Amino acid sequence: MEKIIDENKQGDPLVLKQKEGNTKKLFIESYGCAMNFSDSEIVASILQNEGFNTTKNLEDADLVLVNTCSIRDKAEQTVRKRLEKYNAVKRTNPKMKVGVLGCMAERLKSKFLEEEKIVDLVVGPDAYKDLPNLLAEVEDGRDAINVVLSKDETYGDISPVRINTNGVTALVSITRGCDNMCTFCVVPFTRGRERSRDPQSIIEEVNDLWNKGYKEITLLGQNVDSYLWYGGGLKKDFVKATEMQKATAVDFAKLLSICAETQPKMRIRFSTSNPQDMSLDVIKTMAKYDNICNHIHLPVQSGSNRILKAMNRLHTREEYFQLIDNIREIIPNCAISQDIIAGFPTETEEDHKDTLSLLEYVKYNFGYMFTYSERPGTLAERKLEDDVPEATKSRRLSEIIALQLEHSELRTKGYLGTTVEILIERASKKSSEHWSGRSAQNIVAVFPKENYNIGDFVNVKVTDCTKATLIGEAIGLSKSN
Ligand code: SAH
Ligand code: F3S
């Protein structure tokens, strides 16, 4: 098991409301992070204006797009398997075109066209607006590729048509790229330098979502706490901004408060926070506004100072504990979750024990845990030997997961007998008689449907729980409605 909770439905084809008059069929599926799922909505929106309606059936498609992930080797292997499947379908439908989007497109570039004969189109994360031109080339019988990374592309001007969603929760991207250069991570290479989206366009999207009935948004970025709008351009060029631009710049704490005040009934979440960039201002802003959810996803990767340094994570274990203490003091009921990598190069048993003791200290609500996967081109790949044997990595990962499960159970049990506010998102997967939703702390709860509806905020009395899910009964609508 790699993940305790799988947030995104990996590989589910996206489905848009059909646009009248569109005759071509698009099959688009996504792998990897929430940003990819958000990007696929942008892509489908662009293609809707080019005559494409989405289809769930691969066999019917005129165009098949796969939005790919490079974060670990396994993620890339999943995509290679999907390409084999497309290849089989193409034999019965030779007119079908296949395009690769996202991080693998950016990483492998034209190599994709050589390695995988099935691929007609390769488009990196900053080039989706060029899709209409690229498709025209493909129609003319040529392979097409655009993997240019951009200084300012944020897709702020594209209002994505929401797909596949429950009509209640939505993703809103606020930054693109990452400047952190963690030594294990391929993202800075595939998604380019960090840039932030105009707050005005973010607010317009949030208002539009509220007007369409959405009740919760997640502000998305590789490193949201680093958000900085000073009129456009790369984060690293902020030093060159004018005095006026500096004086009127909007940072993440400010953006959060603007969002919270613009739609005071909208629940606001964000992901992901890098500990080195999370400010006290952000924590205080969370405490100030009821509608900002008390949950922080705060990846730590390792509990060992030596490994943190080798990973180029720019904080120590002690500084991380200080941050956790500050969060708990300012927001006592804040849920905290983690990402951890087991078996980074040179990791010793001592280092691993430091990770376990860090887990003991924080007792996270939940987490996403992985074995280290060497990624071509990263600093770790160039400078360090991948020297922890796979069996050791796996054993350490199992120990980390087992401890995390204990803590998840402990945290979940802590809600027994309490009343939590739940936003109803969908019918429970296990029982059509039950609703499923999440608390502000991002804990899933299931309870009998009664007369409540999707999109209602309800108070749920927690009577029972599993390791990760609250079970209870609704005792009325909450005041948030
Ligand atoms: N800031 C990003 C992190 C992206 S990667 C975000 O928004 O989520 C997500 C997680 O994948 C990381 O936190 C890390 O735990 C894991 N990861 C990244 N590169 C990895 C690698 N080479 N091997 C194993 N896990 C990795
Ligand atoms: Fe990757 Fe580190 Fe950025 S994990 S996405 S380089 S914060």
Side-chain angles (χ1 to χ4, degrees):
M1 182 179 73
E2 257 199 348
K3 287 192 173 184
I4 288 188
I5 294 173
D6 210 344
E7 282 178 352
N8 298 311
K9 286 184 230 97
Q10 304 283 319
D12 270 5
L14 300 175
V15 186
L16 273 184
K17 222 162 101 189
Q18 303 292 292
K19 186 171 167 187
E20 234 171 90
N22 278 2
T23 52
K24 292 181 274 187
K25 294 207 174 96
L26 165 69
F27 177 95
I28 175 166
E29 60 181 6
S30 313
Y31 295 88
C33 65
M35 188 69 85
N36 265 3
F37 285 73
S38 169
D39 282 358
S40 290
E41 295 184 339
I42 289 168
V43 167
S45 305
I46 293 171
L47 292 181
Q48 200 176 46
N49 295 330
E50 300 296 313
F52 284 93
N53 274 336
T54 49
T55 173
K56 271 188 201 167
N57 301 323
L58 183 56
E59 287 73 14
D60 294 347
D62 299 298
L63 175 64
V64 174
L65 295 178
V66 56
N67 203 343
T68 60
C69 174
S70 286
I71 204 80
R72 285 169 288 277
D73 183 55
K74 215 170 110 190
E76 293 203 348
Q77 295 315 322
T78 308
V79 170
R80 299 275 187 189
K81 286 230 174 66
R82 288 305 289 160
L83 291 174
E84 278 171 30
K85 169 79 186 166
Y86 305 159
N87 212 359
V89 175
K90 201 170 182 173
R91 268 181 233 124
T92 60
N93 179 7
K95 280 203 302 225
M96 185 178 107
K97 303 291 180 206
V98 174
V100 177
L101 314 176
C103 287
M104 265 177 101
E106 194 62 50
R107 193 176 86 68
L108 293 160
K109 302 186 169 63
S110 57
K111 261 203 252 164
F112 236 127
L113 298 167
E114 294 151 26
E115 282 173 22
E116 301 278 357
K117 294 285 171 243
I118 168 118
V119 175
D120 306 290
L121 180 70
V122 174
V123 194
D126 284 346
Y128 298 144
K129 279 191 198 150
D130 196 26
L131 268 165
N133 300 325
L134 297 167
L135 282 175
E137 278 186 48
V138 171
E139 281 310 314
D140 285 348
R142 291 189 296 274
D143 287 344
I145 179 163
N146 186 343
V147 287
V148 175
L149 288 171
S150 159
K151 275 192 187 153
D152 46 18
E153 182 60 88
T154 60
Y155 301 108
D157 53 336
I158 293 187
S159 167
V161 194
R162 253 69 207 188
I163 348 180
N164 243 14
T165 60
N166 46 23
V168 178
T169 61
L171 305 170
V172 176
S173 86
I174 64 162
T175 70
R176 295 186 74 83
C178 185
D179 284 351
N180 275 339
M181 300 305 268
C182 303
T183 57
F184 53 80
C185 185
V186 76
V187 170
F189 303 94
T190 59
R191 287 191 167 268
R193 303 305 300 258
E194 189 178 309
R195 66 221 99 116
S196 296
R197 175 176 171 193
D198 185 344
Q200 193 55 42
S201 84
I202 296 173
I203 293 303
E204 278 163 23
E205 189 173 344
V206 172
N207 285 336
D208 182 52
L209 285 165
W210 179 259
N211 293 336
K212 288 182 174 143
Y214 286 83
K215 301 289 175 65
E216 181 185 298
I217 52 160
T218 302
L219 303 176
L220 274 190
Q222 301 302 333
N223 180 13
V224 282
D225 297 81
S226 170
Y227 176 88
L228 190 65
W229 172 259
Y230 60 98
L234 294 178
K235 168 84 184 255
K236 73 175 177 65
D237 293 334
F238 180 62
V239 286
K240 293 187 234 156
T242 63
E243 288 311 313
M244 182 67 175
Q245 282 174 320
K246 284 186 180 157
T248 54
V250 177
D251 66 7
F252 185 55
K254 185 90 192 353
L255 178 72
L256 268 182
S257 62
I258 298 173
C259 290
E261 281 176 24
T262 309
Q263 286 302 341
K265 290 191 154 191
M266 186 88 127
R267 257 192 189 179
I268 296 164
R269 300 185 187 278
F270 53 89
S271 186
T272 300
S273 293
N274 187 310
Q276 77 204 38
D277 291 307
M278 182 157 215
S279 66
L280 271 182
D281 254 5
V282 167
I283 304 169
K284 285 180 186 158
T285 306
M286 291 177 72
K288 182 170 167 196
Y289 296 97
D290 277 351
N291 58 328
I292 303 179
C293 290
N294 289 344
H295 166 229
I296 303 175
H297 185 56
L298 199 61
V300 67
Q301 318 299 359
S302 169
S304 149
N305 276 332
R306 196 180 63 80
I307 296 293
L308 285 171
K309 195 153 186 242
M311 288 175 160
N312 194 31
R313 303 288 288 186
L314 300 180
H315 62 81
T316 61
R317 168 189 175 92
E318 291 73 25
E319 284 162 340
Y320 189 82
F321 287 158
Q322 185 60 56
L323 180 58
I324 297 285
D325 293 348
N326 289 341
I327 294 168
R328 299 232 194 269
E329 192 186 317
I330 299 169
I331 320 169
N333 64 353
C334 195
I336 304 176
S337 53
Q338 47 83 351
D339 288 350
I340 286 177
I341 298 175
F344 184 79
T346 76
E347 187 186 76
T348 62
E349 233 25 61
E350 268 320 292
D351 296 319
H352 171 58
K353 288 207 176 98
D354 284 347
T355 298
L356 296 176
S357 74
L358 179 136
L359 279 173
E360 282 292 3
Y361 184 90
V362 185
K363 295 194 170 56
Y364 295 95
N365 292 74
F366 58 93
Y368 304 99
M369 295 144 285
F370 318 95
T371 51
Y372 173 68
S373 165
E374 186 176 81
R375 306 314 294 134
T378 57
L379 214 70
E381 184 259 346
R382 286 184 276 141
K383 300 266 190 262
L384 298 168
E385 193 192 335
D386 184 6
D387 59 356
V388 179
E390 283 308 313
T392 309
K393 287 183 189 171
S394 299
R395 194 250 310 147
R396 288 180 188 164
L397 177 66
S398 309
E399 289 174 13
I400 292 167
I401 290 176
L403 189 56
Q404 178 54 56
L405 280 175
E406 268 178 38
H407 296 156
S408 296
E409 190 170 8
L410 185 90
R411 292 284 180 200
T412 312
K413 278 189 172 152
Y415 294 107
L416 280 175
T418 68
T419 300
V420 289
E421 186 188 68
I422 301 295
L423 171 60
I424 302 179
E425 289 175 32
R426 57 177 72 85
S428 155
K429 279 188 203 114
K430 292 202 179 122
S431 149
S432 60
E433 305 295 300
H434 287 71
W435 287 129
S436 167
R438 278 174 300 154
S439 69
Q441 282 83 2
N442 214 6
I443 311 299
V444 174
V446 294
F447 53 93
K449 282 184 173 173
E450 299 179 70
N451 291 326
Y452 300 104
N453 296 303
I454 288 182
D456 285 346
F457 285 100
V458 285
N459 289 320
V460 171
K461 177 118 181 126
V462 182
T463 52
D464 198 359
C465 66
T466 65
K467 279 197 173 80
T469 305
L470 306 173
I471 300 164
E473 55 191 81
I475 54 172
L477 289 171
S478 88
K479 63 175 179 7
S480 300
N481 284 284

